[in-house]
Structures are given as C-alpha cells and as structure tokens.
Amino acid sequence: MGYGWALKWLLAAILIAAGILVKINEVEVVYATTGIAIVLFSLLRIYPLLKSLSKEVLRTINLFEIVFDTIMGGLMIYVAFSGLSGDPFWQGMYAYLLAVFFYVRGFIYMVSLYFFAERSEALKFWFHLICVTLGAGLFVLALTSTGDIILRTLGWLILFVSVSGGLYLGYDGYGGYRLYRQQSKSLQEQKGKSAPVEKELPKPQPQPEAEAKETYIN
C-alpha cells in the first residue's frame, strides 16, 4: 500500500498557502517568483540548447540571451529580497523587465528561423509569436499605466494557479486515500477468515516383508 496520497495532500496545502501568501505579500512574491522562474529557465537550458544548435553564430546569440536573462532574473530576486519591490520605480520597472524577457526570446527565435534557416515545429512557432506579442503588449501597458497593475494582475494569476493546483492535488490524493482504505479493509477481512484446514493424507502402511525361504543343503 502506497502513501503517495499523503504527499499530495501536503503539496496541496503548500500550494494553497503559497497562493494566499502571494496576495498578502503580493509585490515581493511576484517579483521573487518571476526572477526565480527566469533564472531556472535560463540555466537549465544552457547545455541542451547549445549542444543541439548546429551553427556557431546561433550558439553565441543564444548564450548572450541566457546570460542577459540570468542577470535580469537575479536582479528581480535581489529587488524582491532586499525590500526594494515596494518602491514605485521598481514597480514600474517590473513590466519593462518582463516585456524585454518575452520580446527578446521571441525575437531571437524568429531571427534563427528566418536568417539561419533553423527548423522548428508549428507549436514552437506559435508560442514564440505569442512571446513577441506579449512582450510588445507589456511594453505598451507599462507606458500607459502604473506598474503595480501588472504586479497585482500576476498576483491574482499566481493565486488562481496555486489554488487550482492545490485542489487538483487534494482531489487526486483523496482518490489515493480511498484506494488505500479499501486495500486496508480487504487486508483486515483476509486476516479474519480462518485458513482452510488441510486434510492429512493417509500414511502409507508398511508392507510385510516376504519371509525368506530357507534353503537346505543335503
């Protein structure tokens, strides 16, 4: 019997609590979450990306992007944990940083596709097209509104994702727990039943040995 349901319930509680904390400490958590996500996205793709690219110029371009994104993500993490995220300047800068991240990712992909004949799938093309559009949209939004609007919108988004993920894990854990209890009940019922008595086979009776005939010698 597995206890994976207990781990799922624990993760569900952590996810929901994290979502609530996002709303309590909205700006700091959104800044930190975004920065950590960008750093992980950049560092975890270094080796497979550079190894799979066939042209040296593409490796160089993507390496510059990875270094730039890592620095930008590190800056976001620093702002979050140094208490600067509440400053109006950094609240306004958040939208610009996010816009640059998405736009650069989409732009480099399009350059690789058009100028260097890099092959790709349709799904990746549409994803990077969305990145370019999202980057441009965030830039315009940053110019026409205050930065805290984007931060608070992402805060609600993180809360929604956290609570949804927590509820899903909780429901999945409930199914695992129900199966665990059914297995436990079945095990108890098997223990309660008496084991079938095996009938002893009749023991073989010893056969009388034939009497040896005496031989007389005249």
Side-chain angles (χ1 to χ4, degrees):
M1 292 182 292
Y3 293 90
W5 53 269
L7 179 61
K8 290 176 182 177
W9 280 357
L10 177 62
L11 292 175
I14 292 173
L15 268 178
I16 294 174
I20 295 172
L21 285 174
V22 167
K23 292 307 297 176
I24 296 174
N25 304 295
E26 195 167 45
V27 177
E28 292 85 355
V29 176
V30 171
Y31 241 111
T33 304
T34 308
I36 292 171
I38 290 175
V39 170
L40 287 177
F41 173 77
S42 302
L43 295 180
L44 293 179
R45 56 195 280 261
I46 291 178
Y47 181 77
L49 178 64
L50 299 183
K51 190 74 175 177
S52 60
L53 291 173
S54 57
K55 298 180 177 64
E56 189 64 32
V57 63
L58 287 178
R59 293 194 190 97
T60 305
I61 292 173
N62 281 273
L63 183 60
F64 274 121
E65 182 207 357
I66 289 172
V67 172
F68 175 76
D69 288 346
T70 304
I71 294 173
M72 184 170 62
L75 177 63
M76 286 183 162
I77 296 172
Y78 170 75
V79 170
F81 289 102
S82 63
L84 296 174
S85 55
D87 189 281
F89 171 77
W90 287 109
Q91 289 187 8
M93 282 298 296
Y94 177 83
Y96 290 107
L97 292 172
L98 205 58
V100 169
F101 170 76
F102 281 114
Y103 191 83
V104 169
R105 175 82 292 269
F107 179 76
I108 289 178
Y109 173 82
M110 296 299 176
V111 168
S112 303
L113 209 64
Y114 184 79
F115 290 102
F116 299 101
E118 190 74 11
R119 293 184 178 181
S120 182
E121 302 87 20
L123 183 62
K124 286 177 64 177
F125 172 80
W126 287 109
F127 171 76
H128 287 88
L129 185 62
I130 291 172
C131 285
V132 173
T133 307
L134 188 60
L138 284 170
F139 186 78
V140 173
L141 190 61
L143 289 174
T144 57
S145 63
T146 56
D148 64 328
I149 294 178
I150 298 174
L151 283 167
R152 297 189 188 285
T153 303
L154 286 176
W156 281 110
L157 179 62
I158 293 174
L159 175 63
F160 174 76
V161 172
S162 299
V163 173
S164 300
L167 291 176
Y168 173 77
L169 284 174
Y171 177 77
D172 196 29
Y174 168 77
Y177 179 72
R178 187 172 60 179
L179 180 62
Y180 163 78
R181 292 308 307 167
Q182 289 175 353
Q183 291 176 347
S184 179
K185 180 181 178 181
S186 176
L187 183 63
Q188 294 299 325
E189 289 176 350
Q190 288 178 3
K191 286 183 178 179
K193 292 180 180 178
S194 57
V197 180
E198 295 183 358
K199 295 182 179 180
E200 294 185 358
L201 296 175
K203 295 181 179 180
Q205 298 294 330
Q207 297 293 333
E209 296 182 0
E211 296 181 357
K213 294 182 179 181
E214 295 183 358
T215 305
Y216 295 94
I217 301 175
N218 293 328

